[in-house]
Amino acid sequence: MTIHFDPSHHTDSMTSSEQHDLTVQRLTAEFCNLISSESIGIVVDGCVADLSWASKLALPELSERLARQRIIDYLDCKEKNFE
């Protein structure tokens, strides 16, 4: 199940922490029983740092997409015993 960021949901009034928490919640629901929410939070933190150049409005969606892809890549490698 993929839960995508809803661009029509206005995050302008949300703090960075609230945006981060929502992203972690969505990805935790998407990858339940595959990776811990703590690990997802770490991935999201890294994505936000890597996307520090992005505009504040684009950052929530971009960081969620990047985190999703990094988690998928990790799970694919794990499935192949990290070969």
Side-chain angles (χ1 to χ4, degrees):
M1 170 175 69
T2 301
I3 303 169
H4 293 287
F5 179 81
D6 181 4
S8 65
H9 179 72
H10 296 287
T11 58
D12 303 1
S13 61
M14 296 175 68
T15 66
S16 297
S17 178
E18 290 170 329
Q19 291 174 351
H20 177 277
D21 291 347
L22 283 175
T23 298
V24 171
Q25 287 174 12
R26 283 191 294 270
L27 292 172
T28 298
E30 184 174 339
F31 294 103
C32 66
N33 300 320
L34 297 174
I35 188 168
S36 70
S37 61
E38 180 181 68
S39 295
I40 290 172
I42 292 167
V43 172
V44 171
D45 288 342
C47 293
V48 168
D50 289 347
L51 294 168
S52 61
W53 54 267
S55 76
K56 184 176 178 169
L57 293 176
L59 187 59
E61 181 175 1
L62 291 174
S63 62
E64 183 168 333
R65 288 178 181 212
L66 181 57
R68 179 177 290 107
Q69 190 56 53
R70 286 181 178 177
I71 293 166
I72 289 168
D73 291 347
Y74 166 79
L75 293 172
D76 286 346
C77 285
K78 182 179 176 185
E79 187 175 279
K80 296 175 186 172
N81 293 318
F82 300 101
E83 294 176 0

